[in-house]
Amino acid sequence: MTIKQESVSLEDAQRVIAAGQAKAAEIGSPSNVAVVDAGGNLVSHIRMDHAWVGSIDISINKAFTARAFDIATKDLAENAQPGAQFYGIQNSNHGRVMIFAGGIPLRQDGQVVGAVGVSGGTGEQDQTVAEAAAAAF
Amino acid sequence: MTIKQESVSLEDAQRVIAAGQAKAAEIGSPSNVAVVDAGGNLVSHIRMDHAWVGSIDISINKAFTARAFDIATKDLAENAQPGAQFYGIQNSNHGRVMIFAGGIPLRQDGQVVGAVGVSGGTGEQDQTVAEAAAAAF
Amino acid sequence: MTIKQESVSLEDAQRVIAAGQAKAAEIGSPSNVAVVDAGGNLVSHIRMDHAWVGSIDISINKAFTARAFDIATKDLAENAQPGAQFYGIQNSNHGRVMIFAGGIPLRQDGQVVGAVGVSGGTGEQDQTVAEAAAAAF
Amino acid sequence: MTIKQESVSLEDAQRVIAAGQAKAAEIGSPSNVAVVDAGGNLVSHIRMDHAWVGSIDISINKAFTARAFDIATKDLAENAQPGAQFYGIQNSNHGRVMIFAGGIPLRQDGQVVGAVGVSGGTGEQDQTVAEAAAAAF
Protein backbone atom coordinates (compact mmCIF):
# COMPACT_ATOMS: atom_id res chain seq x y z
CA MET A 1 0.00 0.00 0.00
CA THR A 2 1.52 3.26 -1.12
CA ILE A 3 2.19 6.27 1.09
CA LYS A 4 0.17 9.44 0.51
CA GLN A 5 2.41 12.50 0.43
CA GLU A 6 1.36 16.09 -0.06
CA SER A 7 3.98 18.28 -1.68
CA VAL A 8 4.30 21.99 -2.46
CA SER A 9 3.16 23.10 -5.91
CA LEU A 10 4.95 25.69 -8.05
CA GLU A 11 2.27 28.18 -7.05
CA ASP A 12 3.01 27.53 -3.37
CA ALA A 13 6.71 27.90 -4.00
CA GLN A 14 6.33 31.18 -5.83
CA ARG A 15 4.13 32.63 -3.07
CA VAL A 16 6.71 31.62 -0.46
CA ILE A 17 9.57 33.05 -2.51
CA ALA A 18 7.74 36.34 -3.15
CA ALA A 19 7.23 36.78 0.58
CA GLY A 20 10.90 36.11 1.20
CA GLN A 21 11.89 38.56 -1.51
CA ALA A 22 9.68 41.29 -0.02
CA LYS A 23 11.20 40.82 3.43
CA ALA A 24 14.73 40.74 2.02
CA ALA A 25 14.09 44.02 0.20
CA GLU A 26 12.62 45.52 3.36
CA ILE A 27 15.67 44.71 5.47
CA GLY A 28 18.14 45.47 2.67
CA SER A 29 19.61 41.98 2.36
CA PRO A 30 19.77 40.87 -1.32
CA SER A 31 19.07 37.14 -1.10
CA ASN A 32 18.83 33.84 -2.88
CA VAL A 33 15.56 32.10 -2.00
CA ALA A 34 14.81 28.49 -2.93
CA VAL A 35 11.96 26.05 -2.33
CA VAL A 36 12.17 22.25 -2.52
CA ASP A 37 9.32 19.75 -2.58
CA ALA A 38 8.57 16.78 -0.32
CA GLY A 39 11.23 14.76 -2.16
CA GLY A 40 13.87 17.41 -1.49
CA ASN A 41 13.98 18.38 -5.18
CA LEU A 42 14.08 22.03 -6.32
CA VAL A 43 10.75 23.62 -7.27
CA SER A 44 11.84 27.22 -7.69
CA HIS A 45 14.70 29.63 -7.00
CA ILE A 46 15.43 33.33 -7.31
CA ARG A 47 18.59 35.34 -6.90
CA MET A 48 17.86 38.98 -6.23
CA ASP A 49 19.98 41.57 -8.05
CA HIS A 50 23.46 41.87 -6.48
CA ALA A 51 22.95 38.84 -4.20
CA TRP A 52 26.00 36.59 -3.77
CA VAL A 53 26.68 34.05 -6.49
CA GLY A 54 28.07 31.64 -3.89
CA SER A 55 24.71 31.67 -2.18
CA ILE A 56 22.83 30.05 -5.06
CA ASP A 57 24.05 26.63 -3.98
CA ILE A 58 23.67 27.44 -0.30
CA SER A 59 20.04 28.53 -0.56
CA ILE A 60 19.10 25.39 -2.49
CA ASN A 61 20.96 23.18 -0.05
CA LYS A 62 19.54 24.87 3.04
CA ALA A 63 16.11 24.01 1.66
CA PHE A 64 17.29 20.47 0.90
CA THR A 65 18.67 20.07 4.43
CA ALA A 66 15.52 21.36 6.11
CA ARG A 67 13.50 18.70 4.27
CA ALA A 68 16.12 15.96 4.42
CA PHE A 69 16.02 16.02 8.21
CA ASP A 70 12.65 17.76 8.81
CA ILE A 71 14.35 20.43 10.91
CA ALA A 72 15.29 24.10 10.67
CA THR A 73 18.96 24.35 9.74
CA LYS A 74 19.38 26.75 12.67
CA ASP A 75 18.37 23.96 15.05
CA LEU A 76 20.45 21.34 13.24
CA ALA A 77 23.41 23.67 13.71
CA GLU A 78 23.37 23.23 17.47
CA ASN A 79 23.57 19.46 17.11
CA ALA A 80 26.38 19.63 14.57
CA GLN A 81 28.90 21.47 16.74
CA PRO A 82 32.08 19.74 17.96
CA GLY A 83 31.14 17.35 20.75
CA ALA A 84 27.42 17.35 19.88
CA GLN A 85 25.47 14.29 18.73
CA PHE A 86 25.51 15.08 15.00
CA TYR A 87 29.00 16.59 14.67
CA GLY A 88 30.18 15.64 11.20
CA ILE A 89 26.72 15.43 9.61
CA GLN A 90 27.84 18.29 7.34
CA ASN A 91 30.14 15.86 5.53
CA SER A 92 27.28 13.59 4.47
CA ASN A 93 25.04 13.82 1.43
CA HIS A 94 27.84 14.95 -0.87
CA GLY A 95 28.27 18.33 0.78
CA ARG A 96 24.59 19.28 0.61
CA VAL A 97 24.00 19.51 4.37
CA MET A 98 23.98 23.14 5.51
CA ILE A 99 24.31 23.71 9.25
CA PHE A 100 23.62 27.38 9.69
CA ALA A 101 20.47 29.48 9.86
CA GLY A 102 18.16 30.07 6.87
CA GLY A 103 16.49 26.74 6.06
CA ILE A 104 12.97 26.02 7.35
CA PRO A 105 10.60 23.08 6.70
CA LEU A 106 7.16 23.89 5.25
CA ARG A 107 4.44 22.00 7.11
CA GLN A 108 0.78 21.28 6.38
CA ASP A 109 -1.35 19.53 8.99
CA GLY A 110 1.85 18.62 10.82
CA GLN A 111 3.44 16.92 7.80
CA VAL A 112 6.52 18.36 6.10
CA VAL A 113 5.62 19.01 2.45
CA GLY A 114 8.70 20.95 1.36
CA ALA A 115 11.17 23.52 2.64
CA VAL A 116 12.54 27.00 1.99
CA GLY A 117 16.18 28.05 2.05
CA VAL A 118 17.61 31.58 2.13
CA SER A 119 21.19 32.75 1.69
CA GLY A 120 22.71 36.17 1.09
CA GLY A 121 23.08 37.97 4.38
CA THR A 122 24.09 37.34 7.96
CA GLY A 123 22.66 34.30 9.71
CA GLU A 124 20.17 36.54 11.43
CA GLN A 125 19.09 38.19 8.18
CA ASP A 126 18.74 34.86 6.37
CA GLN A 127 16.64 33.51 9.23
CA THR A 128 14.40 36.59 9.22
CA VAL A 129 13.82 36.26 5.47
CA ALA A 130 13.21 32.51 5.71
CA GLU A 131 10.67 32.97 8.48
CA ALA A 132 8.78 35.56 6.46
CA ALA A 133 8.86 33.25 3.46
CA ALA A 134 7.66 30.21 5.42
CA ALA A 135 4.87 32.25 7.00
CA ALA A 136 3.39 32.84 3.53
CA PHE A 137 2.84 29.09 3.19
CA MET B 1 -2.60 24.33 -3.05
CA THR B 2 -0.30 21.39 -2.59
CA ILE B 3 0.09 18.47 -4.97
CA LYS B 4 -1.06 15.02 -3.86
CA GLN B 5 1.57 12.41 -4.61
CA GLU B 6 1.35 8.70 -3.92
CA SER B 7 4.70 7.03 -3.28
CA VAL B 8 5.88 3.47 -2.76
CA SER B 9 6.13 2.28 0.83
CA LEU B 10 8.93 0.09 2.20
CA GLU B 11 6.52 -2.84 2.07
CA ASP B 12 5.90 -2.19 -1.64
CA ALA B 13 9.62 -1.90 -2.27
CA GLN B 14 10.42 -5.14 -0.50
CA ARG B 15 7.74 -7.02 -2.44
CA VAL B 16 9.11 -5.67 -5.71
CA ILE B 17 12.67 -6.53 -4.75
CA ALA B 18 11.75 -10.06 -3.63
CA ALA B 19 10.12 -10.71 -7.01
CA GLY B 20 13.21 -9.43 -8.77
CA GLN B 21 15.44 -11.60 -6.60
CA ALA B 22 13.38 -14.69 -7.37
CA LYS B 23 13.58 -14.08 -11.11
CA ALA B 24 17.32 -13.35 -10.92
CA ALA B 25 17.87 -16.63 -9.08
CA GLU B 26 15.74 -18.47 -11.62
CA ILE B 27 17.75 -17.20 -14.60
CA GLY B 28 21.07 -17.44 -12.77
CA SER B 29 21.96 -13.76 -12.84
CA PRO B 30 23.12 -12.52 -9.40
CA SER B 31 21.75 -8.99 -9.28
CA ASN B 32 21.54 -5.73 -7.43
CA VAL B 33 17.93 -4.60 -7.15
CA ALA B 34 16.91 -1.13 -5.92
CA VAL B 35 13.64 0.75 -5.50
CA VAL B 36 13.27 4.55 -5.27
CA ASP B 37 10.20 6.53 -4.23
CA ALA B 38 8.27 9.27 -6.02
CA GLY B 39 10.98 11.76 -5.08
CA GLY B 40 13.68 9.59 -6.66
CA ASN B 41 15.15 8.75 -3.24
CA LEU B 42 16.23 5.20 -2.30
CA VAL B 43 13.71 3.11 -0.38
CA SER B 44 15.49 -0.26 -0.42
CA HIS B 45 18.31 -2.15 -2.08
CA ILE B 46 19.72 -5.68 -2.13
CA ARG B 47 22.88 -7.12 -3.60
CA MET B 48 22.60 -10.85 -4.09
CA ASP B 49 25.60 -12.98 -3.14
CA HIS B 50 28.37 -12.73 -5.75
CA ALA B 51 26.66 -9.91 -7.66
CA TRP B 52 28.98 -7.18 -8.97
CA VAL B 53 30.06 -4.48 -6.55
CA GLY B 54 30.09 -1.96 -9.40
CA SER B 55 26.41 -2.62 -9.93
CA ILE B 56 25.32 -1.25 -6.55
CA ASP B 57 25.52 2.29 -7.87
CA ILE B 58 24.11 1.33 -11.26
CA SER B 59 21.00 -0.35 -9.87
CA ILE B 60 20.23 2.63 -7.63
CA ASN B 61 20.79 5.07 -10.49
CA LYS B 62 18.76 3.06 -13.01
CA ALA B 63 15.87 3.36 -10.56
CA PHE B 64 16.59 7.08 -10.13
CA THR B 65 16.67 7.61 -13.89
CA ALA B 66 13.41 5.76 -14.49
CA ARG B 67 11.69 8.07 -12.02
CA ALA B 68 13.61 11.22 -12.92
CA PHE B 69 12.31 11.04 -16.48
CA ASP B 70 9.28 8.73 -15.99
CA ILE B 71 10.62 6.33 -18.61
CA ALA B 72 12.19 2.89 -18.80
CA THR B 73 15.96 3.29 -19.12
CA LYS B 74 15.80 0.92 -22.09
CA ASP B 75 13.61 3.43 -23.93
CA LEU B 76 15.69 6.41 -22.82
CA ALA B 77 18.69 4.61 -24.30
CA GLU B 78 17.34 4.93 -27.81
CA ASN B 79 17.01 8.69 -27.44
CA ALA B 80 20.48 9.07 -25.95
CA GLN B 81 22.44 7.61 -28.87
CA PRO B 82 24.70 9.82 -31.00
CA GLY B 83 22.51 11.93 -33.26
CA ALA B 84 19.34 11.32 -31.24
CA GLN B 85 17.40 14.06 -29.45
CA PHE B 86 18.77 13.40 -25.96
CA TYR B 87 22.37 12.52 -26.81
CA GLY B 88 24.44 13.77 -23.89
CA ILE B 89 21.69 13.42 -21.26
CA GLN B 90 23.97 10.88 -19.56
CA ASN B 91 26.28 13.71 -18.52
CA SER B 92 23.56 15.47 -16.53
CA ASN B 93 22.52 14.94 -12.93
CA HIS B 94 26.06 14.35 -11.71
CA GLY B 95 26.48 11.07 -13.53
CA ARG B 96 23.30 9.51 -12.18
CA VAL B 97 21.56 9.07 -15.55
CA MET B 98 21.79 5.46 -16.72
CA ILE B 99 20.98 4.84 -20.36
CA PHE B 100 20.82 1.10 -20.67
CA ALA B 101 18.18 -1.50 -19.88
CA GLY B 102 17.11 -2.40 -16.34
CA GLY B 103 15.26 0.61 -14.92
CA ILE B 104 11.44 0.70 -14.97
CA PRO B 105 8.95 3.19 -13.50
CA LEU B 106 6.35 1.87 -11.04
CA ARG B 107 2.89 3.21 -11.86
CA GLN B 108 -0.39 3.33 -9.96
CA ASP B 109 -3.51 4.60 -11.70
CA GLY B 110 -1.28 5.99 -14.43
CA GLN B 111 0.89 8.02 -12.04
CA VAL B 112 4.56 7.19 -11.46
CA VAL B 113 5.00 6.49 -7.75
CA GLY B 114 8.55 5.14 -7.78
CA ALA B 115 10.87 2.98 -9.86
CA VAL B 116 12.94 -0.20 -9.80
CA GLY B 117 16.49 -0.61 -11.06
CA VAL B 118 18.39 -3.85 -11.71
CA SER B 119 22.07 -4.39 -12.48
CA GLY B 120 24.27 -7.46 -12.50
CA GLY B 121 23.85 -9.27 -15.79
CA THR B 122 23.51 -8.58 -19.48
CA GLY B 123 21.10 -5.88 -20.58
CA GLU B 124 18.60 -8.56 -21.46
CA GLN B 125 18.94 -10.28 -18.09
CA ASP B 126 18.64 -7.01 -16.17
CA GLN B 127 15.53 -6.12 -18.15
CA THR B 128 13.97 -9.54 -17.49
CA VAL B 129 14.60 -9.20 -13.76
CA ALA B 130 13.31 -5.62 -13.68
CA GLU B 131 10.11 -6.58 -15.49
CA ALA B 132 9.45 -9.41 -13.04
CA ALA B 133 10.11 -7.02 -10.16
CA ALA B 134 7.84 -4.29 -11.54
CA ALA B 135 5.08 -6.82 -12.19
CA ALA B 136 4.92 -7.54 -8.45
CA PHE B 137 3.90 -3.94 -7.86
CA MET C 1 40.34 49.77 -18.27
CA THR C 2 37.56 47.53 -17.09
CA ILE C 3 35.11 45.64 -19.25
CA LYS C 4 31.49 46.74 -19.26
CA GLN C 5 29.13 43.80 -19.04
CA GLU C 6 25.37 44.05 -19.19
CA SER C 7 23.56 41.17 -17.51
CA VAL C 8 19.96 40.05 -17.04
CA SER C 9 18.25 41.23 -13.87
CA LEU C 10 15.91 39.08 -11.77
CA GLU C 11 13.02 41.00 -13.31
CA ASP C 12 14.25 40.08 -16.81
CA ALA C 13 14.66 36.46 -15.79
CA GLN C 14 11.18 36.24 -14.36
CA ARG C 15 9.64 37.74 -17.50
CA VAL C 16 11.53 35.25 -19.66
CA ILE C 17 10.52 32.35 -17.43
CA ALA C 18 6.86 33.40 -17.37
CA ALA C 19 6.79 33.45 -21.16
CA GLY C 20 8.34 29.99 -21.26
CA GLN C 21 5.84 28.72 -18.70
CA ALA C 22 2.93 30.06 -20.74
CA LYS C 23 4.17 28.37 -23.92
CA ALA C 24 4.85 25.11 -22.07
CA ALA C 25 1.31 25.13 -20.70
CA GLU C 26 -0.06 25.90 -24.16
CA ILE C 27 1.69 22.93 -25.79
CA GLY C 28 1.12 20.64 -22.81
CA SER C 29 4.76 20.05 -21.91
CA PRO C 30 5.37 20.52 -18.16
CA SER C 31 8.83 22.06 -18.06
CA ASN C 32 11.74 23.23 -16.00
CA VAL C 33 12.80 26.72 -17.08
CA ALA C 34 16.00 28.40 -15.88
CA VAL C 35 17.79 31.67 -16.59
CA VAL C 36 21.47 32.39 -15.97
CA ASP C 37 23.23 35.75 -16.04
CA ALA C 38 26.24 36.96 -18.00
CA GLY C 39 28.48 35.06 -15.58
CA GLY C 40 26.65 31.81 -16.29
CA ASN C 41 25.25 31.76 -12.76
CA LEU C 42 21.63 30.94 -11.97
CA VAL C 43 19.25 33.87 -11.61
CA SER C 44 15.96 32.01 -11.41
CA HIS C 45 14.38 28.60 -11.98
CA ILE C 46 10.91 27.06 -11.98
CA ARG C 47 9.73 23.47 -12.18
CA MET C 48 6.13 23.27 -13.31
CA ASP C 49 3.88 20.79 -11.52
CA HIS C 50 4.60 17.21 -12.64
CA ALA C 51 7.63 18.19 -14.70
CA TRP C 52 10.53 15.71 -14.56
CA VAL C 53 12.78 15.83 -11.52
CA GLY C 54 15.76 14.87 -13.68
CA SER C 55 15.20 18.00 -15.74
CA ILE C 56 15.98 20.45 -12.92
CA ASP C 57 19.70 19.98 -13.44
CA ILE C 58 19.34 19.83 -17.22
CA SER C 59 17.44 23.11 -17.55
CA ILE C 60 19.98 24.96 -15.42
CA ASN C 61 22.86 23.46 -17.34
CA LYS C 62 21.34 24.09 -20.76
CA ALA C 63 21.21 27.75 -19.78
CA PHE C 64 24.78 27.55 -18.47
CA THR C 65 25.97 25.92 -21.70
CA ALA C 66 24.26 28.48 -23.93
CA ARG C 67 26.06 31.29 -22.09
CA ALA C 68 29.31 29.39 -21.55
CA PHE C 69 29.82 29.09 -25.30
CA ASP C 70 27.44 31.85 -26.50
CA ILE C 71 25.57 29.35 -28.66
CA ALA C 72 22.21 27.60 -28.71
CA THR C 73 22.65 24.08 -27.32
CA LYS C 74 20.86 22.79 -30.41
CA ASP C 75 23.69 24.15 -32.55
CA LEU C 76 26.39 22.97 -30.20
CA ALA C 77 24.87 19.49 -30.47
CA GLU C 78 25.85 19.18 -34.11
CA ASN C 79 29.46 19.90 -33.26
CA ALA C 80 29.51 17.45 -30.35
CA GLN C 81 28.59 14.30 -32.27
CA PRO C 82 31.15 11.54 -32.73
CA GLY C 83 33.61 12.67 -35.41
CA ALA C 84 32.65 16.35 -35.15
CA GLN C 85 35.03 19.10 -34.03
CA PHE C 86 33.79 19.38 -30.44
CA TYR C 87 33.09 15.71 -29.75
CA GLY C 88 33.86 15.23 -26.05
CA ILE C 89 33.05 18.78 -24.99
CA GLN C 90 30.27 17.27 -22.90
CA ASN C 91 32.91 15.83 -20.56
CA SER C 92 34.24 19.26 -19.68
CA ASN C 93 32.98 21.63 -17.02
CA HIS C 94 32.15 18.87 -14.54
CA GLY C 95 29.22 17.51 -16.51
CA ARG C 96 27.53 20.87 -16.98
CA VAL C 97 27.71 20.99 -20.80
CA MET C 98 24.36 19.98 -22.32
CA ILE C 99 24.41 19.15 -26.01
CA PHE C 100 20.77 18.91 -26.97
CA ALA C 101 18.06 21.42 -27.82
CA GLY C 102 16.54 23.81 -25.28
CA GLY C 103 19.29 26.28 -24.31
CA ILE C 104 19.37 29.73 -25.96
CA PRO C 105 21.58 32.80 -25.31
CA LEU C 106 19.84 36.07 -24.43
CA ARG C 107 21.30 38.96 -26.43
CA GLN C 108 21.09 42.73 -26.12
CA ASP C 109 22.66 44.94 -28.78
CA GLY C 110 24.45 41.88 -30.09
CA GLN C 111 26.03 41.05 -26.74
CA VAL C 112 25.13 37.90 -24.79
CA VAL C 113 23.83 38.98 -21.37
CA GLY C 114 22.50 35.67 -20.11
CA ALA C 115 20.72 32.53 -21.32
CA VAL C 116 17.59 30.47 -20.87
CA GLY C 117 17.40 26.68 -20.56
CA VAL C 118 14.32 24.47 -20.85
CA SER C 119 13.89 20.77 -20.10
CA GLY C 120 10.84 18.58 -19.70
CA GLY C 121 9.66 17.46 -23.11
CA THR C 122 11.02 16.25 -26.41
CA GLY C 123 13.87 18.17 -27.96
CA GLU C 124 11.39 19.89 -30.23
CA GLN C 125 9.10 20.88 -27.36
CA ASP C 126 11.98 22.18 -25.24
CA GLN C 127 13.21 24.25 -28.17
CA THR C 128 9.74 25.70 -28.78
CA VAL C 129 9.42 26.70 -25.13
CA ALA C 130 12.94 28.15 -25.03
CA GLU C 131 12.31 30.23 -28.14
CA ALA C 132 9.11 31.66 -26.67
CA ALA C 133 10.96 32.42 -23.44
CA ALA C 134 13.88 34.10 -25.19
CA ALA C 135 11.50 36.16 -27.33
CA ALA C 136 10.16 37.80 -24.17
CA PHE C 137 13.59 39.25 -23.54
CA MET D 1 49.19 -17.18 -0.59
CA THR D 2 45.82 -15.52 -0.66
CA ILE D 3 43.97 -14.06 2.29
CA LYS D 4 40.82 -15.77 3.47
CA GLN D 5 38.07 -13.29 4.14
CA GLU D 6 34.67 -14.16 5.54
CA SER D 7 31.95 -11.71 4.62
CA VAL D 8 28.27 -11.24 5.40
CA SER D 9 25.81 -12.78 2.94
CA LEU D 10 22.59 -11.12 1.77
CA GLU D 11 20.73 -13.45 4.12
CA ASP D 12 22.86 -12.25 7.05
CA ALA D 13 22.30 -8.65 6.05
CA GLN D 14 18.55 -9.06 5.83
CA ARG D 15 18.39 -10.72 9.26
CA VAL D 16 20.43 -7.88 10.77
CA ILE D 17 18.27 -5.26 9.06
CA ALA D 18 15.02 -6.91 10.16
CA ALA D 19 16.20 -6.86 13.78
CA GLY D 20 17.09 -3.19 13.44
CA GLN D 21 13.72 -2.43 11.88
CA ALA D 22 11.89 -4.18 14.72
CA LYS D 23 13.80 -2.23 17.36
CA ALA D 24 13.28 1.05 15.48
CA ALA D 25 9.54 0.38 15.33
CA GLU D 26 9.52 -0.49 19.04
CA ILE D 27 11.18 2.77 20.09
CA GLY D 28 9.28 4.84 17.52
CA SER D 29 12.29 6.02 15.51
CA PRO D 30 11.72 5.56 11.75
CA SER D 31 15.18 4.63 10.50
CA ASN D 32 17.40 3.90 7.57
CA VAL D 33 19.34 0.68 8.15
CA ALA D 34 22.20 -0.47 5.93
CA VAL D 35 24.65 -3.36 5.92
CA VAL D 36 28.00 -3.45 4.13
CA ASP D 37 30.23 -6.46 3.52
CA ALA D 38 33.89 -7.08 4.36
CA GLY D 39 34.83 -4.89 1.39
CA GLY D 40 32.82 -1.98 2.77
CA ASN D 41 30.37 -2.28 -0.12
CA LEU D 42 26.59 -2.11 0.34
CA VAL D 43 24.76 -5.43 0.68
CA SER D 44 21.31 -4.16 1.61
CA HIS D 45 19.46 -1.06 2.78
CA ILE D 46 15.98 -0.13 3.93
CA ARG D 47 14.33 3.21 4.60
CA MET D 48 11.32 2.83 6.84
CA ASP D 49 8.22 4.84 5.95
CA HIS D 50 8.64 8.53 6.86
CA ALA D 51 12.31 8.14 7.81
CA TRP D 52 14.53 11.08 6.83
CA VAL D 53 15.66 11.25 3.23
CA GLY D 54 18.97 12.76 4.32
CA SER D 55 19.66 9.64 6.35
CA ILE D 56 19.89 7.28 3.36
CA ASP D 57 23.43 8.39 2.68
CA ILE D 58 24.30 8.58 6.37
CA SER D 59 23.19 5.03 7.20
CA ILE D 60 25.17 3.59 4.30
CA ASN D 61 28.23 5.61 5.24
CA LYS D 62 28.03 4.82 8.94
CA ALA D 63 28.21 1.17 7.93
CA PHE D 64 31.08 1.94 5.55
CA THR D 65 32.96 3.83 8.28
CA ALA D 66 32.52 1.08 10.86
CA ARG D 67 34.09 -1.41 8.45
CA ALA D 68 36.61 0.99 6.93
CA PHE D 69 38.25 1.47 10.33
CA ASP D 70 36.90 -1.60 12.15
CA ILE D 71 35.43 0.57 14.87
CA ALA D 72 32.02 1.75 16.07
CA THR D 73 31.38 5.24 14.72
CA LYS D 74 30.50 6.29 18.27
CA ASP D 75 34.05 5.48 19.35
CA LEU D 76 35.59 7.05 16.27
CA ALA D 77 33.69 10.22 17.14
CA GLU D 78 35.75 10.78 20.27
CA ASN D 79 38.95 10.65 18.26
CA ALA D 80 37.64 13.00 15.59
CA GLN D 81 36.88 16.00 17.79
CA PRO D 82 38.97 19.16 17.48
CA GLY D 83 42.28 18.53 19.21
CA ALA D 84 41.94 14.73 19.14
CA GLN D 85 44.27 12.40 17.23
CA PHE D 86 41.99 11.82 14.22
CA TYR D 87 40.51 15.31 13.90
CA GLY D 88 39.90 15.82 10.19
CA ILE D 89 39.42 12.15 9.34
CA GLN D 90 35.88 13.13 8.30
CA ASN D 91 37.33 14.92 5.30
CA SER D 92 38.89 11.75 3.93
CA ASN D 93 37.26 9.13 1.74
CA HIS D 94 35.21 11.63 -0.24
CA GLY D 95 32.87 12.54 2.59
CA ARG D 96 32.02 8.95 3.48
CA VAL D 97 33.45 8.98 7.02
CA MET D 98 30.66 9.44 9.58
CA ILE D 99 31.78 10.36 13.07
CA PHE D 100 28.65 10.02 15.15
CA ALA D 101 26.82 7.10 16.76
CA GLY D 102 24.98 4.41 14.77
CA GLY D 103 27.65 2.40 12.90
CA ILE D 104 28.85 -0.92 14.33
CA PRO D 105 31.21 -3.57 12.90
CA LEU D 106 29.86 -7.11 12.54
CA ARG D 107 32.37 -9.68 13.86
CA GLN D 108 32.73 -13.42 13.51
CA ASP D 109 35.45 -15.25 15.43
CA GLY D 110 37.02 -11.89 16.17
CA GLN D 111 37.24 -10.89 12.52
CA VAL D 112 35.22 -8.01 11.09
CA VAL D 113 33.08 -9.39 8.26
CA GLY D 114 30.87 -6.39 7.60
CA ALA D 115 29.07 -3.59 9.43
CA VAL D 116 25.66 -2.10 10.08
CA GLY D 117 24.73 1.59 9.96
CA VAL D 118 21.60 3.26 11.29
CA SER D 119 20.32 6.81 10.82
CA GLY D 120 16.98 8.44 11.49
CA GLY D 121 16.79 9.46 15.12
CA THR D 122 18.93 10.97 17.85
CA GLY D 123 22.42 9.61 18.32
CA GLU D 124 21.14 7.56 21.23
CA GLN D 125 18.24 6.11 19.23
CA ASP D 126 20.45 5.25 16.26
CA GLN D 127 22.91 3.50 18.57
CA THR D 128 20.12 1.51 20.23
CA VAL D 129 18.80 0.36 16.86
CA ALA D 130 22.28 -0.49 15.57
CA GLU D 131 23.07 -2.54 18.67
CA ALA D 132 19.85 -4.54 18.28
CA ALA D 133 20.65 -5.07 14.61
CA ALA D 134 24.23 -6.16 15.26
CA ALA D 135 23.06 -8.54 17.99
CA ALA D 136 21.05 -10.48 15.40
CA PHE D 137 24.29 -11.32 13.63
Side-chain angles (χ1 to χ4, degrees), chain D residues 17-112:
Chain D
I17 286 175
Q21 181 177 359
K23 176 57 75 176
E26 182 191 322
I27 67 171
S29 180
S31 299
N32 284 262
V33 188
V35 170
V36 299
D37 65 12
N41 299 305
L42 188 64
V43 178
S44 189
H45 162 271
I46 64 162
R47 173 160 52 102
M48 293 169 66
D49 296 348
H50 308 297
W52 295 330
V53 163
S55 285
I56 299 168
D57 180 82
I58 295 176
S59 65
I60 295 171
N61 286 330
K62 280 183 182 172
F64 167 77
T65 301
R67 170 50 180 148
F69 300 107
D70 291 351
I71 191 175
T73 56
K74 189 185 176 185
D75 296 331
L76 182 60
E78 295 171 25
N79 290 289
Q81 299 300 317
Q85 67 174 336
F86 294 147
Y87 176 58
I89 198 172
Q90 63 268 36
N91 295 314
S92 73
N93 287 276
H94 305 277
R96 300 198 64 192
V97 176
M98 295 292 108
I99 53 168
F100 44 108
I104 297 180
L106 299 173
R107 294 175 198 274
Q108 185 176 262
D109 303 329
Q111 194 186 27
V112 177

Side-chain angles (χ1 to χ4, degrees), chain A residues 42-44, chain B residues 68-69, chain C residues 17 20-21 24 29-35 44-60 62 102 116-121 126 129-130:
Chain A
L42 188 64
V43 178
S44 190
Chain B
F69 301 105
Chain C
I17 286 175
Q21 181 177 0
S29 180
S31 299
N32 285 261
V33 188
V35 170
S44 189
H45 162 272
I46 65 161
R47 174 160 53 100
M48 293 169 67
D49 296 347
H50 308 296
W52 295 330
V53 163
S55 285
I56 299 168
D57 180 82
I58 295 176
S59 65
I60 295 171
K62 280 183 182 172
V116 61
V118 175
S119 182
D126 289 351
V129 173

Side-chain angles (χ1 to χ4, degrees), chain B residues 44-98:
Chain B
S44 191
H45 162 272
I46 65 161
R47 173 161 52 99
M48 293 170 65
D49 296 346
H50 309 295
W52 295 329
V53 163
S55 284
I56 299 168
D57 179 81
I58 294 176
S59 65
I60 294 172
N61 285 331
K62 280 184 183 172
F64 168 77
T65 302
R67 170 51 180 149
F69 301 105
D70 291 351
I71 192 173
T73 55
K74 188 184 177 185
D75 297 329
L76 183 60
E78 295 172 24
N79 290 289
Q81 299 302 315
Q85 67 172 341
F86 294 149
Y87 176 56
I89 198 172
Q90 61 270 36
N91 294 309
S92 73
N93 287 278
H94 304 277
R96 300 198 64 191
V97 176
M98 296 292 108

Side-chain angles (χ1 to χ4, degrees), chain B residues 94-136:
Chain B
H94 304 277
R96 300 198 64 191
V97 176
M98 296 292 108
I99 53 169
F100 44 107
I104 298 179
L106 300 174
R107 292 176 200 273
Q108 184 177 265
D109 303 329
Q111 193 187 28
V112 178
V113 298
V116 61
V118 175
S119 183
T122 63
E124 199 179 344
Q125 287 172 318
D126 289 351
Q127 186 66 16
T128 299
V129 172
E131 284 172 8

Side-chain angles (χ1 to χ4, degrees), chain A residues 25-93:
Chain A
E26 182 192 322
I27 66 171
S29 178
S31 299
N32 284 262
V33 188
V35 170
V36 300
D37 67 12
N41 299 304
L42 188 64
V43 178
S44 190
H45 162 272
I46 65 161
R47 173 162 52 100
M48 293 169 66
D49 296 346
H50 308 296
W52 295 329
V53 163
S55 284
I56 299 167
D57 178 82
I58 295 176
S59 65
I60 295 171
N61 286 331
K62 280 183 183 173
F64 167 77
T65 302
R67 171 50 180 149
F69 302 105
D70 291 351
I71 191 173
T73 55
K74 189 186 177 184
D75 297 330
L76 183 59
E78 295 172 24
N79 290 289
Q81 299 302 315
Q85 67 174 339
F86 294 149
Y87 177 56
I89 197 172
Q90 61 269 38
N91 294 309
S92 74
N93 287 278

